[in-house]
Amino acid sequence: MSILRRDFSNHDELKQYLAALFPGASGPFSPTPGGRRAAEQALIQIQPVRYGASRNYLDGAVTRLSPYIRHGVTPLPEVLRQAGEQAGRLTRIFKFVQELAWRDYYRRVHYAVGDGIWQDREPYKSGHPAESYAPELPADIERGETGLACMDGFATDLAATGYLHNHARMWVAAYVVHWRRVAWQAGARWFLRHLLDGDPASNNLSWQWVASTFAGKPYIFNRENLERYTRGSYCRDCPRRRDCPFDAPYEELERRLFG
């Protein structure tokens, strides 16, 4: 069994080594650095108190720790301990602790059901039968060619960086499943092909939460919600801003999507 090199004088040398080792791989190198040292630097820079108030904004105080948590470089107890030391008491960082708890819960579900995370845990609550959802992801979504600036931007970022803000992941999942009527499994496979933090448990069960096969109702969003949390960065120049499929009150969107 061959052992990968671990000593490099700089990042460019590492990239050259990996390019030679995997000549068939496509896409750019992610800007996220790997290793324990990078994880420790990211950990000491978290802002758990600000996180609770701003985490839904794409420019909010998110931690970017997920790749290190996913690959076991930074265990959840260490993250919780660091956050508690910064905040003084855990009651000040309830939302931060809650997100760690969700990740732990998804891991436990995965442990209990195994490959069952690829199956609908519950029936869809959308009013549509499971067989009405397309099994494959449409090419225009994956290529970022839908004409919707937000969805195309998110698809491009996903492929280029291996990362998406959690709120963007929810919007993309809702668009794929509810607006395009595609089975959540197709979207989950797409994400796992690109995400550096692509943990099957959190990924699949979050897609199921959006789809409503692991939740009490489908998750949807509207243009007002997206504009607010992206600070309008996509909508102002969107080619489809005049016929935006998300531009309606929630009651109207529910009627259109679910009947």
Side-chain angles (χ1 to χ4, degrees):
M1 181 179 67
S2 61
I3 299 176
L4 296 178
R5 276 184 58 191
R6 303 180 65 179
D7 55 322
F8 300 94
S9 58
N10 55 59
H11 195 59
D12 287 338
E13 185 180 349
L14 168 62
K15 292 197 291 187
Q16 291 172 6
Y17 171 73
L18 292 175
L21 197 63
F22 303 103
S26 61
F29 286 89
S30 171
T32 302
R36 175 63 186 178
R37 186 177 302 174
E40 290 174 344
Q41 284 298 114
L43 184 59
I44 63 175
Q45 293 174 14
I46 64 174
Q47 302 176 65
V49 176
R50 283 192 60 217
Y51 174 91
S54 66
R55 68 189 181 92
N56 283 329
Y57 290 89
L58 261 59
D59 60 357
V62 295
T63 68
R64 302 297 289 263
L65 285 173
S66 53
Y68 308 112
I69 295 173
R70 159 66 181 94
H71 296 285
V73 183
T74 307
L76 287 177
E78 182 179 16
V79 178
L80 180 62
R81 183 169 59 252
Q82 175 71 17
E85 290 175 357
Q86 287 195 24
R89 60 181 187 275
L90 294 180
T91 53
R92 296 184 63 203
I93 53 172
F94 173 77
K95 291 304 298 183
F96 188 91
V97 175
Q98 186 180 51
E99 291 305 309
L100 297 182
W102 272 114
R103 183 175 288 270
D104 181 69
Y105 170 66
Y106 286 154
R107 286 179 176 177
R108 292 171 186 269
V109 172
H110 189 193
Y111 181 80
V113 304
D115 287 344
I117 60 170
W118 284 102
Q119 302 165 1
D120 297 344
R121 303 310 306 157
E122 303 166 6
Y124 282 90
K125 285 84 173 179
S126 61
H128 304 299
E131 56 269 21
S132 70
Y133 292 83
E136 300 296 332
L137 188 73
D140 67 310
I141 296 179
E142 185 165 5
R143 294 173 183 167
E145 298 174 350
T146 67
L148 295 164
C150 54
M151 296 302 142
D152 294 348
F154 297 147
T156 299
D157 289 345
L158 175 64
T161 69
Y163 174 82
L164 275 183
H165 186 286
N166 186 61
H167 212 162
R169 300 183 198 203
M170 293 167 58
W171 292 326
V172 171
Y175 172 66
V176 168
V177 176
H178 303 310
W179 273 268
R180 299 295 298 271
R181 196 79 66 82
V182 176
W184 65 263
Q185 289 93 335
R189 288 193 297 268
W190 172 40
F191 271 21
L192 287 177
R193 286 199 301 271
H194 293 286
L195 288 172
L196 287 178
D197 63 0
D199 172 71
S202 292
N203 180 68
N204 287 28
L205 295 173
S206 293
W207 273 88
Q208 295 218 48
W209 183 83
V210 169
S212 74
T213 58
F214 197 56
K217 62 179 182 179
Y219 167 81
I220 61 172
F221 67 96
N222 66 7
R223 178 172 172 171
E224 179 183 12
N225 177 271
L226 191 141
E227 278 200 282
R228 176 184 179 187
Y229 291 110
T230 63
R231 304 194 190 278
S233 58
Y234 293 98
C235 299
R236 67 173 66 101
D237 296 320
C238 181
R240 295 187 57 186
R241 62 185 178 278
R242 297 188 184 280
D243 69 328
C244 174
F246 317 125
D247 194 7
Y250 282 105
E251 294 80 3
E252 173 63 17
L253 290 175
E254 289 173 355
R255 186 190 65 78
R256 294 179 194 172
L257 297 170
F258 311 129

